[in-house]
């Protein structure tokens, strides 16, 4: 019995909204490294039953792969409190995956949200500045 959830465009938002901590493996059946990573991911799911481990088949769900700009598979993404806090292509060895999960667990999400808000404000400010510069020309 698999302990991972298959994500589709229909259940993606609900899964990420309803769960505080979601790991997502973007993969495809034809991908050799994806098949090598699958048992490592499955073992981590069994070792961390309090977390949601999900998979997105990029062939069956091209809209999700495009929405997250997945260029290479496998890609592991971690979403906490609806914020993507980690995304990295490549099959991770078991020890590296456990390390990433440990680091993600330790993150202070209040600090992450402050940082995201600051980045969004800076980007908006840059956009406004660029618009003002255009307007003056």
């Amino acid at each position: 019995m698999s302990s991972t959830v298959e994500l589709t465009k229909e259940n993606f938002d609900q899964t990420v909204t309803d769960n505080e901590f979601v790991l997502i493996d973007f993969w495809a059946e034809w991908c050799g490294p994806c098949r090598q990573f699958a048992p490592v991911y499955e073992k981590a799911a069994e070792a961390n039953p309090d977390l949601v481990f999900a998979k997105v088949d990029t062939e069956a769900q091209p809209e999700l792969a495009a929405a997250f700009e997945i260029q290479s598979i496998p890609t592991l993404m971690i979403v906490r409190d609806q914020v993507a806090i980690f995304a990295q292509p490549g099959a991770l060895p078991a020890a590296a995956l456990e390390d990433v999960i440990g680091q993600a667990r330790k993150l202070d999400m209040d600090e992450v949200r402050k940082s995201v808000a600051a980045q969004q404000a800076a980007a908006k400010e840059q956009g406004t500045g660029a618009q003002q510069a255009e307007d003056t020309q």
Side-chain angles (χ1 to χ4, degrees), residues 15-135:
T15 302
V16 170
T17 301
D18 290 353
N19 297 283
E20 180 185 324
F21 199 121
V22 183
L23 293 94
I24 306 165
D25 174 22
F26 290 88
W27 70 286
E29 184 67 40
W30 53 262
C31 166
C34 298
R35 289 196 307 271
Q36 289 175 325
F37 182 57
V40 172
Y41 192 69
E42 198 67 41
K43 268 200 173 104
E46 291 166 11
N48 296 278
D50 59 318
L51 307 180
V52 174
F53 283 72
K55 294 177 86 65
V56 173
D57 180 342
T58 57
E59 293 291 303
Q61 301 298 321
E63 300 92 342
L64 283 177
F68 290 97
E69 300 176 358
I70 302 302
Q71 309 268 327
S72 174
I73 53 175
T75 288
L76 176 67
M77 181 176 288
I78 300 177
V79 179
R80 264 192 73 191
D81 298 342
Q82 301 174 44
V83 177
I85 58 169
F86 178 86
Q88 178 178 312
L92 294 174
L97 179 56
E98 282 302 320
D99 184 49
V100 166
I101 292 169
Q103 289 182 47
R105 283 184 184 275
K106 291 177 190 163
L107 277 179
D108 178 340
M109 289 308 294
D110 289 333
E111 287 300 316
V112 170
R113 279 188 283 281
K114 282 182 197 167
S115 175
V116 168
Q119 288 173 0
Q120 288 173 339
K124 189 174 182 180
E125 187 64 34
Q126 281 183 330
T128 305
Q131 187 62 49
Q132 288 171 344
E134 275 182 35
D135 291 347

